[in-house]
């Protein structure tokens, strides 16, 4: 079965650079969520989109932005990267309805040096 | 606001020992409950979930969890652990509404000694 796809899987950037992470949800899923998991931490919710509109916002820094496109894929744009941004970034998708389950992608490991 | 607590930060067991990881959540409404496992260097995998119905839920790899509504708990159990169960275990909850984010607990690191 098709799963959530994230690219790239690994990314190394320097401080103050920008990075773009991509998420391709499971086909027909219309909702995308982004989570950040720092080393030894639990995943923290960043932001979500439903039908290309932002549906919820968590602890996403102002330096980050995200959007969902017409084909439902989503991109997380990160600017002015800091060392503390080094983390595993998960994307999850779901079919928006009252009872649903989020399916997580494999994550993108971002290392800022 | 929703929150999830897990009783133990780190658990060490010998192979064949029984496992119980505690999880409590705080939320006034009805919730969906999950346990995720994260093996070293890997991504989150769903072990089991509870949406409604039988409060005793069976998941993959011999894991089960029991939802006790009155205690706001969703403890994970396995009768006999294996070395391959060494991983980080996250309890998670989301509100039973549309498009709601998943809130994760802080995680319990399980080390199984052969």
């Amino acid at each position: 079965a098709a799963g959530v796809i994230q690219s790239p899987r690994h990314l190394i950037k320097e401080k103050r650079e920008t990075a773009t992470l991509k998420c391709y949800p499971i086909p027909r899923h219309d909702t995308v969520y982004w989570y950040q998991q720092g080393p030894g931490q639990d995943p923290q919710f960043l932001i979500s989109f439903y039908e290309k509109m932002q549906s919820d916002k968590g602890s996403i820094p102002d330096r980050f932005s995200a959007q969902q496109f017409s084909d439902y894929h989503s991109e997380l744009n990160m600017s002015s990267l800091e060392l503390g941004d080094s983390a595993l970034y998960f994307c999850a998708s779901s079919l928006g309805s009252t009872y649903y389950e989020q399916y997580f992608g494999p994550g993108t490991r971002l290392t800022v040096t | 606001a929703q929150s999830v607590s897990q009783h133990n930060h780190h658990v060490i067991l010998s192979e064949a020992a029984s496992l119980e990881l505690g999880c409590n959540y705080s939320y006034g409404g009805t919730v969906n409950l999950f346990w995720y496992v994260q093996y070293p260097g890997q991504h989150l995998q769903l072990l089991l979930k509870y949406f409604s119905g039988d409060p005793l839920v069976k998941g993959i790899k011999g894991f089960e969890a029991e939802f006790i509504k009155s205690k706001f708990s969703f403890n994970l159990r396995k009768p006999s652990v294996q070395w391959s169960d060494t991983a980080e275990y996250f309890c998670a909850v989301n509100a039973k509404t549309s498009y709601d984010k998943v809130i994760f607990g802080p995680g319990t690191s399980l080390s199984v000694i052969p």
Side-chain angles (χ1 to χ4, degrees), chain A residues 35 37 42 56 100-102, chain B residues 38 46 49 51 100 102:
Chain A
Y35 296 85
Q37 185 181 23
D42 53 293
D56 197 1
Y100 69 99
E101 176 183 337
Q102 293 182 23
Chain B
Q38 189 173 31
L46 182 67
K49 62 190 177 189
F51 282 8
D100 207 5
V102 174

Side-chain angles (χ1 to χ4, degrees), chain A residues 31 33 35 37 41-43 45 50 56 88 90 96-102 104-106, chain B residues 32 34 36 38 42-44 46 49 51 90 94 96-102 104-106:
Chain A
T31 310
Y33 307 79
Y35 296 85
Q37 185 181 23
Q41 304 292 316
D42 53 293
F45 171 72
Y50 165 66
D56 197 1
L88 190 59
F90 288 107
S97 63
T98 304
Y99 301 98
Y100 69 99
E101 176 183 337
Q102 293 182 23
F104 281 81
Chain B
N32 301 314
F34 310 86
Y36 286 89
Q38 189 173 31
Q42 296 191 27
H43 61 283
L44 293 166
L46 182 67
K49 62 190 177 189
F51 282 8
F90 293 98
N94 72 348
K96 223 184 250 297
T97 58
S98 299
Y99 331 126
D100 207 5
K101 56 190 174 290
V102 174
F104 288 86

Side-chain angles (χ1 to χ4, degrees), chain B:
Chain B
Q2 303 164 50
S3 67
V4 181
S5 62
Q6 293 183 233
H7 300 178
N8 307 95
H9 182 64
H10 193 186
V11 173
I12 302 174
L13 294 173
S14 298
E15 273 194 322
S18 64
L19 169 73
E20 180 158 3
L21 301 183
C23 170
N24 286 92
Y25 67 93
S26 83
Y27 182 67
T30 49
V31 295
N32 301 314
L33 296 159
F34 310 86
W35 274 98
Y36 286 89
V37 61
Q38 189 173 31
Y39 297 104
Q42 296 191 27
H43 61 283
L44 293 166
Q45 298 177 45
L46 182 67
L47 269 182
L48 47 78
K49 62 190 177 189
Y50 172 81
F51 282 8
S52 64
D54 189 344
L56 185 60
V57 179
K58 293 195 183 298
I60 61 171
K61 305 185 181 186
F63 286 91
E64 66 177 31
E66 184 176 13
F67 171 50
I68 302 179
K69 189 175 181 180
S70 61
K71 295 184 178 180
F72 298 88
S73 69
F74 190 55
N75 293 353
L76 180 72
R77 298 194 291 254
K78 184 171 183 178
S80 176
V81 294
Q82 302 172 318
W83 175 79
S84 58
D85 293 325
T86 295
E88 190 85 15
Y89 291 81
F90 293 98
C91 180
V93 61
N94 72 348
K96 223 184 250 297
T97 58
S98 299
Y99 331 126
D100 207 5
K101 56 190 174 290
V102 174
I103 305 297
F104 288 86
T108 296
S109 176
L110 172 65
S111 299
V112 180
I113 303 169

Side-chain angles (χ1 to χ4, degrees), chain A residues 23-99:
Chain A
C23 169
Y24 298 87
I26 290 172
R28 294 189 299 279
H29 280 193
D30 50 16
T31 310
V32 170
Y33 307 79
W34 285 97
Y35 296 85
Q36 177 193 55
Q37 185 181 23
Q41 304 292 316
D42 53 293
Q44 295 290 319
F45 171 72
L46 291 178
I47 195 167
S48 63
F49 293 88
Y50 165 66
E51 283 290 347
K52 293 151 280 183
M53 300 287 289
Q54 181 180 307
S55 53
D56 197 1
K57 190 173 181 179
S59 53
I60 184 169
D62 291 340
R63 299 178 288 108
F64 294 6
S65 64
Q67 57 182 324
Q68 186 180 32
F69 294 86
S70 57
D71 63 351
Y72 296 106
H73 94 273
S74 178
E75 295 184 4
L76 177 66
N77 298 293
M78 311 159 74
S79 62
S80 302
L81 287 169
E82 301 174 356
L83 295 177
D85 296 329
S86 294
L88 190 59
Y89 291 83
F90 288 107
C91 169
S93 76
S94 71
L95 183 61
S97 63
T98 304
Y99 301 98

